[in-house]
Amino acid sequence: MDFADIRREFDKTNKAYFDELQSELGDEMEHYSKLFKSAEEIAAELEVVKDVLFQYDTLNKELFSRQISEIQDRTQVLALKKALADARSLYNLCRLFGFNDLLQRLPFVQINALYNEVDNHLAMLNLKDRLENQADTSGLLNMALEEVLFKFIKIGEEELKLADELKDALRRTRETMTSNIDPKDPEFTQLKEELERLFKNRNLKAVSQEEMKHNMLTLNKIQDKVCEINRKNRLLQSKYEGDIKFVRVHKRLVEKGTISDSERRIFEALRLVKQQADNSVMQNRNILDNDSYFERMMQRHVVQQFQQTQNIKLSPDSTRYINQLVVKEYLDEFNGVTPW
């Protein structure tokens, strides 16, 4: 019995608070109106969610995962994700307002797990789309590759152990590759492309035990090679007093093969160019705002240190090439542009 008319007073207070919010928030009220749903409104929205989930087994996470893994249409996956997100919100409202009978309408215990399955599959479709459409994949290595969801042909102790080992191999490879300071290194580029082919060729389909073992061997080889690249980069970085800009310039000049047959003389010339450039920038950082002036100034330093100091004969094209490399590194650093 409601002797004190608690329900009526509660509804009255809620209505007053709702009206006050609406007057203050205006159009933004749409985002807050979800806090004030009746049991009938929640029940109706639960019916919509149930219609979206009707075709899928929501009681068995593994079966649900296999069912959605066959969906290649992102629109369908997004609709599933929205329905599950709505279900989570409705569950919270049911608990908040004590609509316990509505909690029996959906298997809410499974909702978070099902949502994660759908979210993972959507991430896989996005990755597949980027790879198969040959979009810019420079950011691929920064994705959480170890979180890629693998679908196994058979599930057992051995497969699960292999899955953990493969995820660990992916994590280690990703961390090793993202620590590289020279993404334009030709050898590194080949290794990155090999890693991307590993995913593209697999086409994100089921992975057998043998494929997992083969992928782990490939990943370990890639990691070992990148570790060696990083080791050599650190040696050069130390010689340039930690300045990674000149590590990249140095490597491009050595790779070109027409500047000088002596890597040591290239280093000595660049070291002096670096000193002059750093002194100029330190005295007046505003010179980096004037690209053409900075480029002309640096060209004089390049000619002086390469031709006059180190006796490295430069053609006009070689001079421009060296100068463009150096200038670009300084301007990218000044403008906050990363090599990735």
Side-chain angles (χ1 to χ4, degrees):
M1 297 182 65
D2 190 6
F3 293 107
D5 293 329
I6 293 174
R7 169 58 62 183
R8 182 165 57 84
E9 291 300 320
F10 177 76
D11 291 340
K12 180 181 176 181
T13 303
N14 255 357
K15 180 66 169 59
Y17 183 52
F18 179 82
D19 292 340
E20 182 181 350
L21 276 177
Q22 195 165 31
S23 65
E24 290 183 3
L25 297 173
D27 294 337
E28 288 295 312
M29 189 58 203
E30 178 186 350
H31 303 295
Y32 294 87
S33 61
K34 294 180 180 179
L35 294 174
F36 300 90
K37 291 183 185 293
S38 66
E40 291 74 19
E41 290 174 317
I42 294 175
E45 292 188 24
L46 284 174
E47 289 301 309
V48 174
V49 172
K50 288 169 67 175
D51 286 340
V52 176
L53 299 176
F54 167 71
Q55 297 181 350
Y56 307 97
D57 190 327
T58 56
L59 299 177
N60 186 319
K61 188 183 76 170
E62 286 72 23
L63 180 55
F64 178 82
S65 178
R66 289 198 294 272
Q67 289 172 339
I68 66 169
S69 69
E70 297 175 356
I71 304 175
Q72 299 303 311
D73 183 356
R74 289 182 71 258
T75 304
Q76 292 184 44
V77 181
L78 285 169
L80 271 174
K81 183 178 179 181
K82 180 182 183 303
L84 290 166
D86 289 345
R88 295 199 301 188
S89 298
L90 294 172
Y91 171 77
N92 290 330
L93 288 177
C94 289
R95 293 289 302 275
L96 177 64
F97 292 113
F99 301 146
N100 295 326
D101 57 320
L102 296 180
L103 295 176
Q104 310 306 315
R105 302 285 183 94
L106 275 176
F108 285 107
V109 175
Q110 289 278 78
I111 291 299
N112 278 336
L114 301 182
Y115 180 90
N116 290 336
E117 294 290 326
V118 172
D119 194 43
N120 284 332
H121 184 57
L122 182 61
M124 290 174 64
L125 289 178
N126 291 336
L127 177 59
K128 175 182 177 182
D129 183 66
R130 290 179 61 199
L131 293 175
E132 293 187 346
N133 289 299
Q134 298 182 341
D136 176 22
T137 58
S138 60
L140 177 65
L141 299 176
N142 291 326
M143 298 175 65
L145 291 178
E146 70 271 16
E147 294 303 325
V148 170
L149 180 63
F150 290 96
K151 306 295 182 183
F152 305 118
I153 293 175
K154 295 181 180 179
I155 296 294
E157 288 297 326
E158 187 173 356
E159 286 86 352
L160 292 175
K161 181 179 178 182
L162 279 172
D164 289 338
E165 292 176 358
L166 182 54
K167 287 177 67 175
D168 186 58
L170 276 167
R171 178 188 57 76
R172 286 185 283 101
T173 304
R174 181 193 58 138
E175 291 175 353
T176 303
M177 297 192 82
T178 53
S179 65
N180 178 268
I181 62 174
D182 182 22
K184 292 185 179 179
D185 182 311
E187 185 180 358
F188 177 81
T189 301
Q190 290 178 358
L191 294 170
K192 184 169 77 75
E193 290 172 352
E194 187 175 350
L195 176 63
E196 292 169 357
R197 281 196 299 271
L198 185 65
F199 287 92
K200 186 172 182 179
N201 291 339
R202 179 167 60 86
N203 203 24
L204 302 177
K205 292 181 180 177
V207 181
S208 66
Q209 287 189 48
E210 291 305 315
E211 287 172 317
M212 282 192 280
K213 291 176 181 177
H214 173 74
N215 288 348
M216 274 191 288
L217 288 174
T218 303
L219 286 169
N220 289 335
K221 289 179 181 178
I222 291 175
Q223 185 194 7
D224 289 343
K225 291 178 180 178
V226 177
C227 280
E228 179 62 13
I229 293 173
N230 291 348
R231 183 188 68 81
K232 292 179 179 178
N233 285 345
R234 287 193 295 271
L235 291 176
L236 271 179
Q237 188 176 355
S238 176
K239 295 192 75 66
Y240 284 105
E241 299 176 333
D243 194 331
I244 61 177
K245 299 192 301 297
F246 280 87
V247 173
R248 293 190 284 262
V249 173
H250 178 111
K251 292 175 67 176
R252 297 298 85 79
L253 297 187
V254 172
E255 291 160 6
K256 192 171 181 62
T258 58
I259 304 298
S260 172
D261 57 1
S262 172
E263 184 176 359
R264 179 183 55 79
R265 290 170 64 196
I266 289 176
F267 162 72
E268 291 296 342
L270 283 177
R271 182 177 62 82
L272 294 173
V273 169
K274 167 179 160 54
Q275 288 179 0
Q276 292 175 311
D278 287 349
N279 288 336
S280 298
V281 171
M282 188 177 298
Q283 291 173 12
N284 182 12
R285 192 164 180 79
N286 291 331
I287 61 174
L288 294 173
D289 289 324
N290 190 330
D291 296 7
S292 57
Y293 172 78
F294 184 65
E295 189 171 352
R296 290 194 301 272
M297 182 191 74
M298 291 306 304
Q299 184 162 313
R300 292 196 301 271
H301 295 329
V302 167
V303 171
Q304 177 186 4
Q305 301 306 333
F306 276 80
Q307 291 198 156
Q308 298 175 14
T309 305
Q310 293 300 321
N311 294 319
I312 299 175
K313 294 182 180 180
L314 298 177
S315 66
D317 287 343
S318 295
T319 303
R320 280 193 296 272
Y321 179 70
I322 297 171
N323 196 48
Q324 286 170 358
L325 287 175
V326 174
V327 169
K328 185 178 185 305
E329 286 289 346
Y330 273 94
L331 293 179
D332 283 352
E333 183 181 62
F334 178 68
N335 294 316
V337 177
T338 63
W340 286 95

